[in-house]
Amino acid sequence: MSDGQYGILVIEDDFRIADIHRAFIEQSDGFYVVGMARNGSEAKAIMAEQATNIQLILLDAYLPDVEGLELLWAIRRDYVHVDIVMVTAAREVETISEALRGGVFDYLIKPIEAARMTQMLTRFRREREALANRAEMNQDELDSVLARLKPGEPLRAKSQALPKGIDRLTLRRVIDALADAPDSLTAMQMARIMGASRSTARRYLEFLVAEQAVSAELGYGDVGRPERRYRLLEAAHEWLASL
């Protein structure tokens, strides 16, 4: 892990999709890209050199030199500390079932919505942080850590408490700013409106994305580089009122 961040290896043979994954990860707090592999051979080489820096792998089921599921089992055997998320167009129940038996952390079917990717990364970070530096847990603590979301269920649906570093009044300012904006906003634009740092604005925006009050998508800025843009969802004010 680098500076408290989680390293991700992207295994994807389509360079366009791989670049989208990279841009998304680089704009997600707490994560960075360790390497990009276009096939199984490149993936194995990167793992051999960088395994200690990789905590999560995004794995496609279709690779030119190896079946994704075959690579999944090989990684499971040799690198037990790494979590794997299948990111693939494979919809066959047989493939999904084997991936689940292989212990994948999640299974994302292409094309992937930004909110779904954010949900996965948020849950991954939450579970890793909850398990870090803990010698043991009771059943209630374990059940809380291993809770899986139902479709459409907010991450904190069963709790009214806000996480550390998230203030209710500031949340309202962010939501109001998104509501007043004629178009989606970047974290930098929100930072200017808030009079805060970009990292602070992004923290609030990503929290709202995880709570499904805000959507996130990749757009292209003036210099042609992809940037993460945020748009308010209809349920945002209702969600805020429920806190």
Side-chain angles (χ1 to χ4, degrees):
M1 207 184 308
S2 173
D3 298 328
Q5 295 189 319
Y6 298 101
I8 297 180
L9 170 61
V10 177
I11 307 176
E12 169 63 62
D13 66 322
D14 188 324
F15 72 91
R16 293 165 298 184
I17 295 177
D19 284 343
I20 291 173
H21 290 344
R22 178 199 288 274
F24 189 93
I25 293 166
E26 289 177 345
Q27 296 182 52
S28 299
D29 286 344
F31 298 92
Y32 72 105
V33 177
V34 176
M36 309 273 283
R38 294 171 297 177
N39 53 54
S41 296
E42 291 183 3
K44 291 177 180 178
I46 293 172
M47 288 299 297
E49 295 180 359
Q50 298 283 342
T52 57
N53 296 321
I54 297 171
Q55 288 76 46
L56 181 63
I57 292 175
L58 305 186
L59 174 61
D60 190 6
Y62 303 121
L63 297 171
D65 61 343
V66 65
E67 290 289 335
L69 290 175
E70 180 182 340
L71 185 58
L72 165 66
W73 288 108
I75 294 171
R76 270 279 159 264
R77 181 187 66 241
D78 298 333
Y79 304 100
V80 295
H81 73 284
V82 175
D83 278 307
I84 302 171
V85 171
M86 298 296 293
V87 183
T88 176
R91 299 168 178 261
E92 299 81 7
V93 172
E94 183 178 355
T95 300
I96 296 171
S97 296
E98 183 172 348
L100 294 174
R101 290 195 299 273
V104 293
F105 183 81
D106 208 340
Y107 195 108
L108 306 183
I109 298 176
K110 299 175 183 175
I112 303 158
E113 295 182 358
R116 184 62 178 86
M117 179 75 83
T118 294
Q119 185 187 81
M120 179 274 292
L121 292 175
T122 299
R123 180 164 61 85
F124 176 86
R125 185 174 61 244
R126 176 171 60 86
E127 293 189 10
R128 282 284 177 130
E129 290 176 351
L131 293 171
N133 302 317
R134 297 291 294 272
E136 60 181 35
M137 284 184 169
N138 62 36
Q139 188 66 59
D140 288 340
E141 290 171 331
L142 183 57
D143 288 345
S144 177
V145 170
L146 297 182
R148 293 298 188 260
L149 299 178
K150 297 177 182 179
E153 179 185 1
L155 285 174
R156 304 186 66 85
K158 298 181 180 180
S159 173
Q160 300 301 311
L162 292 172
K164 183 179 180 181
I166 299 294
D167 173 74
R168 185 175 279 98
L169 292 178
T170 306
L171 269 179
R172 181 175 295 279
R173 289 178 58 199
V174 172
I175 289 175
D176 288 344
L178 287 169
D180 293 339
D183 198 357
S184 57
L185 298 176
T186 65
M188 181 59 73
Q189 289 171 325
M190 179 58 72
R192 295 193 187 102
I193 295 172
M194 295 170 61
S197 67
R198 181 180 180 181
S199 62
T200 297
R202 180 177 291 175
R203 181 170 71 250
Y204 278 86
L205 289 166
E206 291 296 336
F207 171 75
L208 289 169
V209 170
E211 294 289 339
Q212 299 179 4
V214 167
S215 66
E217 58 190 17
L218 287 177
Y220 286 85
D222 296 336
V223 295
R225 294 188 60 185
E227 57 185 1
R228 201 150 153 77
R229 303 189 66 87
Y230 302 87
R231 187 184 305 276
L232 196 67
L233 297 177
E234 292 183 2
H237 287 94
E238 180 180 348
W239 168 83
L240 183 61
S242 70
L243 291 178

